[in-house]
């Protein structure tokens, strides 16, 4: 007899085994593609994957087969940098970064002192993420510990693999958002003890960015990271020219913005630095040597006028680049929308993004950079069963364009440019269906 959590998805299956590179046609070994595939799920993981005709003879007679022929199944999308507490200030009239923080972000985040609000927005945010096919994200909460408790509680109910942390900032912010230098560290230690490694959850240390933390707070955060290398770290770096000038004033003994973090021991293989637009090649090389990654947030960068990220310069020194929505300065939570914006930024820089590179980055690439590729990012036996079912008939225009495509690469690019929440028929996490388009 089969159990309720053992089932098979029959569909076109696409996954990546390695970085496909920048060429229009990727190396065959980097891509796993089955036109009529079978994904056998059991106990929240992938038990087997193969051509349906090959695997069918091995299946129990009474196993449930969900027929999604005509649909494309991929690993769940991964968002490397997003602020859940900014969900309801998306589409606030644009300002430059520092003005935008003071006018919209900080007032909004003050409300998360109330657990009821944190619970409501946590659930709304996760519903939106699942609606666009995102199953894992690295998330900024607010500076209030209960914003983290609320978020992780909502994630655990859905059995999602998520990273998140309490924002640390002990200066240059409204009093309602500032934490005590070491009180914030104590709150962080409590949250780590309660949530890090619980279910599918991980803790990411979260100093907002250098201007809102004293050196003492940054040093104490570095101490936490040294004491437990299984933790993650997320912050911001070199997003806006005005920000760079401010950092130089606040940290005159640091040669550049990156060194502010290096001096406190915050740059390592589990460190994500959002944006990284205004870097020189030496800074990129130092980040690469540490094994850190830059979260490229193209829609946010264009919305705030922050600049155009140089993806090829990062690649020249081996710097990991992840893809992220950011929000609320980002204009869409959808990973497909992020890739569309990344393509547009790339075109302006003479660095067009192929669908192969984009979709690899949104799945296995982001998983590797976040040290999660042993768990998620691929459709392979033993991996956690997080995946998205994409529907080429999700919208009339997508359907018309898709029907004209002659190759798999063209079809993937069409999803990347015309896809949105309507393209996501289902989102599964831990082997369970968590979202189905109505």
């Amino acid at each position: 007899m089969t159990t309720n959590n053992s089932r098979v998805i029959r569909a076109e299956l696409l996954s990546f085994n390695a970085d496909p590179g920048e060429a229009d046609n990727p190396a065959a070994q980097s891509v796993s593609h089955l036109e009529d595939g079978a994904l056998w799920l059991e106990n929240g993981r992938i038990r087997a994957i193969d051509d349906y005709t090959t695997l069918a003879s091995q299946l129990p007679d009474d196993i449930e087969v969900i027929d999604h022929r005509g649909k494309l199944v991929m690993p769940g999308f991964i968002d490397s940098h997003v602020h859940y507490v900014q969900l309801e200030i998306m589409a606030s009239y644009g300002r430059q970064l520092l003005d935008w923080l003071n006018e919209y972000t900080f007032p909004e985040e003050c409300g998360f002192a109330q657990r009821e609000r944190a619970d409501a927005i946590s659930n709304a945010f996760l519903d939106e993420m699942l609606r666009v096919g995102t199953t894992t994200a690295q998330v900024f909460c607010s500076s209030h510990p209960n914003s983290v408790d609320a978020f992780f509680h909502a994630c655990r109910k859905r059995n999602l693999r998520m990273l998140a942390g309490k924002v640390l900032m002990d200066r240059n912010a409204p009093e309602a958002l500032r934490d005590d230098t070491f009180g914030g560290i104590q709150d962080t230690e409590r949250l780590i003890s309660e949530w890090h490694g619980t279910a599918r959850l991980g803790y990411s240390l979260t100093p907002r960015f250098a201007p809102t933390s004293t050196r003492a707070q940054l040093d104490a955060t570095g101490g936490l990271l040294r004491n437990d290398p299984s933790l993650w770290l997320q912050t911001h770096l070199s997003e806006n020219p005005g920000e760079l000038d401010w950092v130089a004033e606040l940290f005159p003994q640091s040669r550049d913005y990156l060194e502010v973090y290096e001096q406190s021991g915050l740059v390592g293989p589990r460190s994500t630095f959002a944006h990284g637009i205004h870097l020189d090649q030496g800074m990129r090389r130092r980040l690469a040597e540490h094994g850190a990654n830059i979260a490229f947030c193209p829609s946010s960068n264009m919305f705030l006028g922050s600049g155009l990220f140089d993806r090829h310069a990062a690649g020249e020194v081996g710097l990991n680049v992840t893809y992220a929505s950011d929000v609320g300065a980002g204009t869409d939570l959808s990973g497909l929308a992020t890739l569309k914006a990344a393509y547009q930024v790339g075109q302006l820089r003479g660095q067009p993004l192929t669908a192969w590179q984009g979709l690899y980055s949104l799945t296995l690439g982001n998983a590797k950079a976040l040290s999660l590729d042993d768990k998620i990012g691929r459709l392979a036996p033993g991996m956690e069963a997080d995946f998205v079912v994409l529907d080429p008939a999700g919208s009339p225009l997508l359907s018309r364009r898709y029907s004209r495509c002659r190759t798999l690469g063209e079809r993937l690019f069409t999803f990347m440019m015309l896809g949105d929440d309507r393209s996501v028929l289902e989102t599964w996490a831990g082997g369970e269906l968590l979202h189905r388009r109505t």
Side-chain angles (χ1 to χ4, degrees):
M1 292 291 293
T2 61
T3 60
N4 290 334
N5 60 4
S6 182
R7 54 181 69 88
V8 171
I9 310 294
R10 183 177 184 181
E12 182 179 8
L13 305 179
L14 177 71
S15 182
F16 292 89
N17 306 314
D19 188 334
E22 298 287 342
D24 291 343
N25 296 304
Q29 64 269 24
S30 68
V31 181
S32 176
H33 176 236
L34 299 170
E35 290 191 4
D36 184 12
L39 193 66
W40 187 353
L41 316 178
E42 192 167 83
N43 298 322
R45 294 183 178 272
I46 298 171
R47 173 168 171 170
I49 178 173
D50 210 330
D51 286 307
Y52 181 79
T53 53
T54 301
L55 195 60
S57 62
Q58 304 173 38
L59 298 174
D61 292 337
D62 61 343
I63 196 168
E64 178 187 13
V65 177
I66 299 172
D67 192 343
H68 278 324
R69 280 176 288 180
K71 312 296 189 296
L72 176 66
V73 170
M74 291 191 62
F77 299 148
I78 301 167
D79 192 331
S80 63
H81 171 71
V82 60
H83 298 255
Y84 97 82
V85 292
Q86 297 177 12
L87 181 69
E88 291 191 344
I89 59 168
M90 290 178 68
S92 296
Y93 177 69
R95 294 276 190 268
Q96 290 287 302
L97 171 65
L98 300 181
D99 294 331
W100 196 86
L101 286 173
N102 288 314
E103 186 166 344
Y104 300 117
T105 305
F106 288 159
E108 174 68 12
E109 292 188 9
C110 288
F112 286 81
Q114 304 301 317
R115 176 61 186 261
E116 182 179 2
R117 176 149 183 80
D119 284 331
I121 301 303
S122 293
N123 285 299
F125 171 82
L126 291 175
D127 288 347
E128 289 293 325
M129 294 294 268
L130 292 168
R131 195 164 62 83
V132 296
T134 299
T135 52
T136 292
Q138 184 169 226
V139 180
F140 271 59
C141 302
S142 75
S143 56
H144 310 100
N146 65 16
S147 73
V148 185
D149 289 321
F151 181 74
F152 275 144
H153 179 73
C155 293
R156 185 169 61 182
K157 282 196 306 182
R158 294 166 174 80
N159 191 29
L160 295 172
R161 181 159 292 286
M162 288 279 172
L163 310 177
K166 172 194 130 51
V167 164
L168 293 162
M169 50 182 181
D170 61 353
R171 65 170 174 173
N172 294 328
E175 184 178 354
L177 291 181
R178 291 197 306 270
D179 52 19
D180 174 79
T181 301
F182 295 105
I185 297 297
Q186 290 175 334
D187 289 336
T188 297
E189 289 175 325
R190 193 272 296 174
L191 291 165
I192 291 168
S193 176
E194 184 163 344
W195 293 110
H196 186 55
T198 298
R200 303 175 71 203
L201 306 174
Y203 198 90
S204 193
L205 299 168
T206 310
R208 182 177 216 107
F209 67 155
T212 52
S213 286
T214 60
R215 174 60 73 187
Q217 188 172 68
L218 295 176
D219 286 347
T221 305
L224 292 177
L225 193 59
R226 285 191 299 275
N227 289 337
D228 187 351
S230 72
L231 295 168
W232 285 263
L233 180 130
Q234 56 181 345
T235 189
H236 298 83
L237 173 68
S238 299
E239 179 178 359
N240 177 277
E243 170 198 8
L244 270 66
D245 294 339
W246 195 18
V247 170
E249 292 175 9
L250 292 169
F251 296 92
Q253 295 180 337
S254 300
R255 60 174 160 159
D256 55 36
Y257 196 162
L258 178 59
E259 190 173 71
V260 174
Y261 295 132
E262 289 174 321
Q263 289 170 330
S264 291
L266 301 179
V267 188
R270 288 179 174 238
S271 301
T272 297
F273 295 92
H275 307 295
I277 301 170
H278 305 283
L279 301 172
D280 62 35
Q281 206 63 340
M283 296 167 76
R284 295 187 185 98
R285 186 172 293 106
R286 281 150 54 200
L287 285 164
E289 289 169 352
H290 287 295
N293 77 86
I294 290 290
F296 175 24
C297 308
S299 73
S300 171
N301 298 159
M302 290 191 288
F303 181 77
L304 291 178
S306 299
L308 303 177
F309 181 75
D310 192 337
R311 188 167 53 86
H312 283 186
E316 287 172 5
V317 296
L319 172 58
N320 291 321
V321 175
T322 58
Y323 288 72
S325 64
D326 193 7
V327 172
T331 55
D332 204 312
L333 282 166
S334 168
L336 296 174
T338 293
L339 295 185
K340 177 168 70 173
Y343 172 81
Q344 293 166 337
V345 169
Q347 286 288 73
L348 292 171
R349 277 203 166 270
Q351 304 172 0
L353 179 71
T354 69
W356 302 109
Q357 182 59 221
L359 290 167
Y360 160 78
S361 298
L362 202 61
T363 55
L364 182 58
N366 275 7
K368 280 180 173 291
L370 295 175
S371 300
L372 293 172
D373 54 305
D374 60 330
K375 299 176 177 64
I376 58 172
R378 289 190 300 142
L379 302 179
M383 302 294 283
E384 295 171 354
D386 292 0
F387 58 91
V388 59
V389 182
L390 297 176
D391 182 5
S395 69
L397 180 58
L398 174 64
S399 178
R400 293 180 69 87
R401 178 65 186 95
Y402 199 86
S403 69
R404 296 283 301 274
C405 295
R406 296 167 296 174
T407 66
L408 176 59
E410 287 182 347
R411 302 204 312 269
L412 297 178
F413 188 73
T414 299
F415 266 125
M416 191 169 105
M417 300 308 293
L418 298 179
D420 54 29
D421 59 290
R422 295 169 297 175
S423 311
V424 177
L425 178 65
E426 293 178 351
T427 305
W428 293 65
E432 298 296 331
L433 175 62
L434 296 188
H435 164 76
R436 181 174 174 83
R437 186 190 67 212
T438 56

